[in-house]
Amino acid sequence: MPEADRADVRRWSADLFASGAPDVIDSASYAIADYMTGLVAARRRSPGTALLDRLVAARDGSDRLSEQELVSLGVLLLVAGHKTTTNTLGNALLALLRHPAELRRLRTRPELVPGAVDELIRFDSAVSTATFRFTTEAVTLGGTEIPAGVPVLVAIGAANRDPQRFPDPDRLDLDRDASAHLGFGHGIHRCLGAPLARAETEIALRAALDRFPGIRLAVPAEQLTYRHTRLVRGLAALPVQV
Ligand code: HEM
């Protein structure tokens, strides 16, 4: 994605997750679909080797994607790959800033960062609910009967704090094996970008710990506010002193 377009894309993808604002979501989805249609056309005129070029080639070469599928996959990859990681980084850094002993331990032992990423994602999941599912048949879950053909939203953030699965779940414990968390979803629709997201989070956390030895919250944690969103959970801002 060209650097010059990033401010627009950032705004549209934030709007896509606005809570209780269907008009804002609607116009952002049209804007981002139009943008992706233009980007696909531009890549057709001068192809490169990026992921989008490969998807265009799959469409044009052997017709494995319809034009609409190509655009919607492009939008999905762009949005799913960007808001999620941004919010994960904010949530993870906040958790560490609020647990200075754990932060110090990661700084002195950076080899612990990969394992810590799972626990940080479990502890404060940036994707707080999955996308909609629909029941194909009636099911009883936790004593509640859910009829066939109704929408269901799985609360990933709550599942990741299930005390039966993660003892003392409200405690950040970088030594726990949190690898079975649901922060990337589960089953056939599990996050396609999980390995990339994990790498990005590791790299960014290591860089922040490395570069800013004195990093600390610039405001009391109680003053931090969260964006008014659906699906994703993330801070409006994370003011720090370095
Ligand atoms: C830390 C960052 C990320 C988190 C927490 C995250 C989380 C998730 C979750 C929970 C789902 C499943 C949603 C559901 O079941 O309804 C999902 C799906 C998906 N993610 Fe991620 N994601 C992250 C980063 C990325 C990145 C970097 C990419 C791509 C570049 C990506 C692409 C996708 C796609 C395409 C799907 C849909 C898969 C499908 O429906 O088959 N994600 N993600």
Side-chain angles (χ1 to χ4, degrees), residues 51 73 76-77 80-82 84-85 88 121 126-127 129-133 156 182-186 188-194 196-198 200-201:
L51 176 60
L73 188 54
L76 173 66
L77 287 167
H82 145 229
T84 50
T85 314
T88 295
I121 291 175
V127 178
T129 56
T131 52
F132 279 107
R133 301 294 196 276
I156 288 175
L182 293 184
F184 288 122
H186 180 73
I188 193 168
H189 290 290
R190 186 174 187 274
C191 179
L192 184 72
L196 173 63
R198 200 183 286 274
E200 286 177 312
T201 309

Side-chain angles (χ1 to χ4, degrees), residues 83-148:
K83 284 292 7 137
T84 50
T85 314
T86 313
N87 288 323
T88 295
L89 283 174
N91 296 354
L93 196 53
L94 174 62
L96 290 175
L97 293 170
R98 298 187 77 176
H99 295 81
E102 301 285 32
L103 186 144
R104 270 195 303 279
R105 207 151 66 89
L106 280 193
R107 177 172 288 126
T108 48
R109 297 190 53 200
E111 73 278 8
L112 298 181
V113 171
V117 165
D118 278 324
E119 172 64 355
L120 289 163
I121 291 175
R122 178 202 72 80
F123 184 72
D124 197 354
S125 311
V127 178
S128 53
T129 56
T131 52
F132 279 107
R133 301 294 196 276
F134 292 85
T135 47
T136 53
E137 55 187 56
V139 279
T140 303
L141 207 61
T144 300
E145 263 185 53
I146 306 171

